[in-house]
Amino acid sequence: MTDESWTVALVRQSDVAFARQVAMKAMTAIGASAIKKTKFVTAVSEIARNAVIYGHGGAITFRVVGIGLHRSVVGECTDRGPGIADMQLALKDGYTTGSGLGLGLSGARRLVDRFDIISSAESGTTVTLESAAR
Amino acid sequence: MPSESASLSSILSSDFEKILASWLKAQAREGVKRTDLVSAKETEKQSRDFLIAFGRATRDAPTDDKFDFANPSWDPVREALEEITESRTQRGVSPTEMGWFIASIKLPLFEQMRVAFAENNARLLENVWNTTRVVDQLALHAVESLVQKREAIIERQRAEMTEVSAPVVKIWDRIVTVPLIGTLDSFRAQTVMENLLDAIVQWEAEIAIIDITGVSTVDTLVAQHLLKTAAAVKLMGAECVICGISPKIAQTIVNLGVDLPNVTTRIDLQSGLAYAFERLGVTTKG
Ligand SMILES: Nc1ncnc2c1ncn2[C@@H]1O[C@H](COP(=O)(O)OP(=O)(O)OP(=O)(O)O)[C@@H](O)[C@H]1O
Ligand SMILES: [Mg+2]
């Protein structure tokens, strides 16, 4: 179970829906609570959609880490986009360069137990989301 | 008859049955003979028809570097490919399998060429190259045609889904409701909004209840659509009530930082209706 992983290619909007389904499957696999599932799936939806809209597409991989009651799901989303020039600004509530609410990044950060983001113009953006079962 | 193409066409006509048999075998070897999806008899008939058309086209049109798939001589080949992809699309054959199905014709052709040009390496190479270019073009065409047909089917299904998943119902005098089910992508959100606004006009509704019990994820995109819809409803002089926000979705919305000002929310459809009755001064007995 621990070395199982699922990868979803993110090219078009409909892939985001598929990423949500796979995120749900991974959370179910670790016996996560309903609220944890909903929060994680929503965070995945935000990050995956950003990768499609701003990151020129990419992929998200889900892994199960830890053992027993301490298992969690890690989702790593990478894209080959232009990266985020001003990270502090991008993580601010309400900041958007598109037509969204500007709450995707900041909101996703509040929905998970661990949120890491690395971004550069050369290698695009990588967001790591982790959520424990409870 | 262009002399350069004589070799491919003469091989196709003189060794027809041999090539067909060997192609059918190659299909099986390459794992593209989907016996679970397409019957052996059907595959054989389609392969034969295609090969006949292919043989004729190589006789009538050039296959060397003057090869042009747009040449009318290739029309019957295109038609044969059309028939093959049509039946395969309906059965769910993948684009890769479709591509290999056509590409695997190269093996029997090369086998025959190796025999025919055993003495002349330059001629062999030239023919192998020409055949590769022609067959690859046919395979690509087949894949494209399959993908196009598949997309048409998906588009149709999607349209059907939009139809059934956003029915606006007049639930009471001056009250309309729309239950949302599944994922609310931008396309569907737009349809829902339009349907709802139309219904408000048609039934002179004053309250529109959007029931999101069936929506599994409310992310910023869905929230934005709900806010836009509520704003449009308000512009029409009606009021929007969103109901069916489960406790876990409520928490998630708060975490996201989404604010729903000026939007009335109720836990479920009953409470939403009760609110609407109250607003419209409807008295219910019981
Ligand atoms: N993967 C990415 N690559 C490049 N830029 C990004 C990426 N993700 C986010 N951004 C930038 O950060 C901004 C903020 O992103 P965030 O997800 O918070 O808001 P949004 O996508 O604009 O709106 P919302 O997510 O609320 O619909 C975006 O407008 C975009 O400029
Ligand atoms: Mg976003």
Side-chain angles (χ1 to χ4, degrees), chain B:
Chain B
M1 190 200 299
S3 61
E4 301 94 323
S5 60
S7 2
L8 177 55
S9 78
S10 59
I11 281 175
L12 271 166
S13 62
S14 61
D15 301 308
F16 185 87
E17 289 302 330
K18 219 164 158 183
I19 289 171
L20 176 61
S22 154
W23 183 24
L24 290 169
K25 242 186 261 149
Q27 288 171 16
R29 214 168 38 237
E30 299 287 326
V32 293
K33 203 157 150 186
R34 294 291 301 263
T35 42
D36 52 331
L37 298 174
V38 188
S39 77
K41 218 174 120 197
E42 192 180 346
T43 299
E44 194 193 321
K45 187 189 174 297
Q46 287 175 344
S47 302
R48 179 181 292 277
D49 290 350
F50 168 80
L51 218 51
I52 292 172
F54 186 40
R56 282 203 191 116
T58 56
R59 191 194 59 206
D60 300 338
T63 52
D64 58 2
D65 50 11
K66 285 192 279 306
F67 164 68
D68 179 10
F69 195 43
N71 187 317
S73 299
W74 287 97
D75 284 352
V77 174
R78 249 192 301 277
E79 273 159 35
L81 283 176
E82 202 65 10
E83 202 167 300
I84 294 175
T85 53
E86 180 74 48
S87 72
R88 266 143 224 266
T89 311
Q90 284 160 6
R91 291 179 171 88
V93 168
S94 80
T96 313
E97 284 161 351
M98 187 64 234
W100 274 114
F101 178 82
I102 302 299
S104 59
I105 179 85
K106 281 189 239 175
L107 284 102
L109 289 176
F110 291 170
E111 268 164 31
Q112 292 311 118
M113 284 175 184
R114 247 199 319 267
V115 178
F117 305 112
E119 311 292 317
N120 191 338
N121 268 339
R123 287 277 285 153
L124 174 63
L125 232 99
E126 184 193 320
N127 273 283
V128 165
W129 167 239
N130 286 342
T131 306
T132 301
R133 197 177 39 208
V134 173
V135 173
D136 284 356
Q137 176 96 38
L138 300 188
L140 267 178
H141 178 83
V143 170
E144 247 167 52
S145 157
L146 183 91
V147 170
Q148 257 173 28
K149 288 193 169 76
R150 237 174 31 171
E151 275 171 3
I153 290 176
I154 293 169
E155 198 55 46
R156 201 162 59 227
Q157 284 170 344
R158 182 161 100 152
E160 280 163 8
M161 228 169 78
T162 336
E163 289 282 327
V164 295
S165 58
V168 183
V169 178
K170 179 181 170 182
I171 199 167
W172 200 271
D173 185 35
R174 289 171 292 160
I175 305 173
V176 291
T177 70
V178 57
L180 299 185
I181 297 151
T183 51
L184 196 67
D185 57 24
S186 298
F187 177 73
R188 283 196 45 206
Q190 184 63 32
T191 322
V192 169
M193 171 135 81
E194 282 166 15
N195 288 353
L196 189 60
L197 298 182
D198 284 348
I200 288 172
V201 174
Q202 189 188 339
W203 288 311
E204 297 172 351
E206 286 172 34
I207 304 235
I209 303 176
I210 302 179
D211 183 4
I212 64 165
T213 311
V215 177
S216 48
T217 313
V218 176
D219 58 9
T220 59
L221 186 72
V222 174
Q224 194 182 24
H225 286 311
L226 291 175
L227 286 168
K228 276 187 189 160
T229 306
V233 167
K234 198 173 168 204
L235 279 175
M236 308 279 305
E239 187 183 348
C240 191
V241 180
I242 295 173
C243 69
I245 301 179
S246 65
K248 51 180 199 275
I249 296 229
Q251 280 188 62
T252 306
I253 291 176
V254 170
N255 275 167
L256 276 177
V258 173
D259 205 8
L260 298 172
N262 317 320
V263 180
T264 308
T265 54
R266 285 294 180 268
I267 181 87
D268 53 24
L269 189 57
Q270 280 98 310
S271 334
L273 258 179
Y275 170 81
F277 285 163
E278 195 189 306
R279 290 284 298 189
L280 298 177
V282 179
T283 47
T284 46
K285 295 201 184 86

Side-chain angles (χ1 to χ4, degrees), chain A residues 15-66:
Chain A
D15 296 333
V16 177
F18 187 49
R20 280 197 300 262
Q21 282 171 20
V22 175
M24 181 58 96
K25 189 171 126 185
M27 286 300 272
T28 305
I30 64 163
S33 67
I35 179 72
K36 280 293 212 175
K37 280 186 197 167
T38 304
K39 286 184 176 185
F40 185 70
V41 168
T42 308
V44 164
S45 188
E46 296 300 339
I47 300 309
R49 185 147 31 78
N50 280 353
V52 171
I53 296 177
Y54 305 109
H56 307 159
I60 185 162
T61 299
F62 299 98
R63 279 176 297 119
V64 172
V65 299

